[in-house]
């Protein structure tokens, strides 16, 4: 199915019916998926022409967030979009298309906006049938999402889930948006290159130039991580999947057997040459001084090798005669002086695989045991960690806690605001004693519903 305009500039071929079975979100080509990740996850601005829009596919599919619906003339309101999505999940794809497109109760162009696709400019004057291919993608994309469980909506529902659940998965985020903004001064085309394993191998100084700014603060942790420890104390924590690299959950007291550090951590470091391992804090002094930490095992090996009797360094010709001085000079230039390996913190760089424990534990252990999922402080940008909520059974309730909601995953309850404020209020209502010096004893929290969403609530400290 074509998703792009023909090369001659004509409009898409008319289709008498939206072939919803012909498109599966998992079958959309990699370029489309890449665009989806870029436009929906990684930018806060309006969809605009950029590097990713160079492809025809990029021009054809531009994704809308809910807060952008009002920007599209003739598009769905938020209330209409929510109703259309619910109807799709209630009746299925075929029946939904029949009662909307076939009966012409709404245009395909407008329906595209309900499912998060902005009508492309090149179709502005095209007949409505021209939007059918895009609508097929939009409907399949929406239908593949885990549907919200309608029985969970209120703060009381969230508290009850906390109290009755016995095997809770907590997914915590890295909170690295601010970090990447700090890296722009390096002049990299993409600040994530600081954490690119290939760049690290070529020039580790790029990473170590900023590493001192992201070293973990020793033994400090936030109320949010104290909340995870409290779940553990109550015998309710199944696993904490964390994207943090500063070992902050361990600082809070979360046990190693209850935690999967999806992106590794600074807790240990490994030599890139000989795989010699040391505790992470063994290289912290070098990092703080802006030095590239070198492997002591490699240094010792080189020193021992230097004490051995050395053979002739000069190459000889086949008849045993020494080469002339000109050749000697060239040979010595080719001689490689032994150097120690670099100690790399055991954080998972882009280009490296996640720990085997991640998939093994999630699929073969936690998937069938989990009875509640709590996602805290992450916008779920980075795969495969972002895929955790979708991998778990759809009947397992899911709560989302962060400052802003996400639109690509439907959680059952969204609790919006400062994560520390949200978890402390939940604990108060659950009758749990979450003690932390950052939580005032007399703290009062105001909770207000978000218009148009019965299960979305905003937490704010009174007087803040």
């Amino acid at each position: 199915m074509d998703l792009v305009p023909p090369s001659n500039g004509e409009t898409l071929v008319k289709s008498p019916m939206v072939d919803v079975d012909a498109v599966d979100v998992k079958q959309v080509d990699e370029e489309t998926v890449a665009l989806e990740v870029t436009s929906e996850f990684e930018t806060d601005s309006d969809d605009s022409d950029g590097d990713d829009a160079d492809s025809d596919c990029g021009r054809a599919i531009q994704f809308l967030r809910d807060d952008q619906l009002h920007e599209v003339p003739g598009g769905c309101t938020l209330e209409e979009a929510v109703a259309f999505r619910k109807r799709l999940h209630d009746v299925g794809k075929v029946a939904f298309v029949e009662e909307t497109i076939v009966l012409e109760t709404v245009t395909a162009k407008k329906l595209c906006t309900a499912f998060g696709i902005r009508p492309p400019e090149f179709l502005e004057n095209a007949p409505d049938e021209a939007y059918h291919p895009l609508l097929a993608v939009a409907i399949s994309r929406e239908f593949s999402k885990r549907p919200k469980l309608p029985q969970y909506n209120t703060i009381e529902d969230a508290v009850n889930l906390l109290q009755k659940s016995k095997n809770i998965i907590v997914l915590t985020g890295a909170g690295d948006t601010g970090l990447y903004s700090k890296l722009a001064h390096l002049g990299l085309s993409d600040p994530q290159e600081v954490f690119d394993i290939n760049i690290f191998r070529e020039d580790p100084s790029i990473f170590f130039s900023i590493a001192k700014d992201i070293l973990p603060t020793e033994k400090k942790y936030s109320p949010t991580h104290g909340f995870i420890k409290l779940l553990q104390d109550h015998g309710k924590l199944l696993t904490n999947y964390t994207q943090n690299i500063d070992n902050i959950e361990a600082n809070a007291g979360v046990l190693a057997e209850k935690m999967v550090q999806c992106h590794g951590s600074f807790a240990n470091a490994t030599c890139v040459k000989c795989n010699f391992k040391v505790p992470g804090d063994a290289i912290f002094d070098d990092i703080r001084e802006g030095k590239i930490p070198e492997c002591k095992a490699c240094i010792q090996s080189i020193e021992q090798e230097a004490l051995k009797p050395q053979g002739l360094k000069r190459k000889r010709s086949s008849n045993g005669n020494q080469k002339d001085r000109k050749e000697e000079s060239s040979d010595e230039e080719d001689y490689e002086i032994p150097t120690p390996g670099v100690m790399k913190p055991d954080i998972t760089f882009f280009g490296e695989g996640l720990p085997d424990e991640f998939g093994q534990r999630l699929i073969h252990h936690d998937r069938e045991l989990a009875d509640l999922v709590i996602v805290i402080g992450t916008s779920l940008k980075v795969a495969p960690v972002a895929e955790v909520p979708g991998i778990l059974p759809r009947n397992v309730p899911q709560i989302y806690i962060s400052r802003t909601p996400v639109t690509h995953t439907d959680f059952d309850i969204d609790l919006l605001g400062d994560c520390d404020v949200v978890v402390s209020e939940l604990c108060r209502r659950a009758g749990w004693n979450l003690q932390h010096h950052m939580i005032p004893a007399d703290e009062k929290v105001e909770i207000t519903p978000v218009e148009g969403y019965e299960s979305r609530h905003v937490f704010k400290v009174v007087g803040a």
Side-chain angles (χ1 to χ4, degrees), residues 392-449:
L392 299 169
R394 293 190 169 196
N395 64 327
V396 176
Q398 299 188 4
I399 297 174
Y400 184 71
I401 301 174
S402 194
R403 291 186 181 276
T404 56
V406 294
T407 61
H408 56 283
T409 300
D410 287 331
F411 288 94
D412 301 311
I413 306 175
D414 293 317
L415 307 179
L416 307 180
D418 184 288
C419 295
D420 293 339
V421 172
V422 174
V423 299
S424 63
E425 181 63 18
L426 289 177
C427 287
R428 284 190 202 99
R429 296 187 177 221
W432 298 349
N433 186 19
L434 176 59
Q435 293 185 336
H436 195 283
H437 70 275
M438 292 173 60
I439 304 176
D442 59 348
E443 182 178 75
K444 303 294 183 184
V445 177
E446 179 184 49
I447 304 175
T448 56

Side-chain angles (χ1 to χ4, degrees), residues 105-210:
T105 58
V106 62
T107 65
K109 179 180 180 180
K110 182 175 181 176
L111 267 185
C112 282
T113 66
F115 302 120
I117 288 186
R118 185 189 297 271
E121 292 183 3
F122 69 83
L123 288 180
E124 182 61 34
N125 297 315
D128 196 57
E129 290 88 345
Y131 292 90
H132 287 185
L134 287 177
L135 181 58
V137 172
I139 288 176
S140 291
R141 177 174 172 263
E142 173 64 32
F143 196 73
S144 70
K145 292 181 182 178
R146 169 193 175 272
K148 175 189 168 349
L149 300 177
Q151 65 267 40
Y152 304 114
N153 298 287
T154 67
I155 306 298
E156 290 72 23
D157 292 336
V159 172
N160 289 336
L161 284 170
L162 281 177
Q163 291 174 325
K164 75 177 186 179
S165 299
K166 298 179 180 179
N167 291 295
I168 302 175
I169 287 179
V170 179
L171 176 58
T172 44
D176 55 6
T177 302
L179 171 62
Y180 284 155
S181 66
K182 293 178 183 177
L183 304 182
H185 72 278
L186 292 177
L188 299 172
S189 59
D190 179 357
Q192 290 186 4
E193 291 177 3
V194 170
F195 298 97
D196 185 292
I197 189 59
N198 294 317
I199 291 178
F200 181 88
R201 288 167 179 157
E202 293 174 6
D203 185 4
S205 68
I206 294 176
F207 168 76
F208 286 109
S209 69
I210 60 90

Side-chain angles (χ1 to χ4, degrees), residues 15-18 20 94-112 128-129 131-132 135 139:
S15 171
M17 182 64 186
V18 179
V20 292
V94 174
F96 179 81
V97 169
E98 288 178 350
E99 66 184 35
T100 54
I101 299 303
V102 175
L103 296 181
E104 298 182 348
T105 58
V106 62
T107 65
K109 179 180 180 180
K110 182 175 181 176
L111 267 185
C112 282
D128 196 57
E129 290 88 345
Y131 292 90
H132 287 185
L135 181 58
I139 288 176

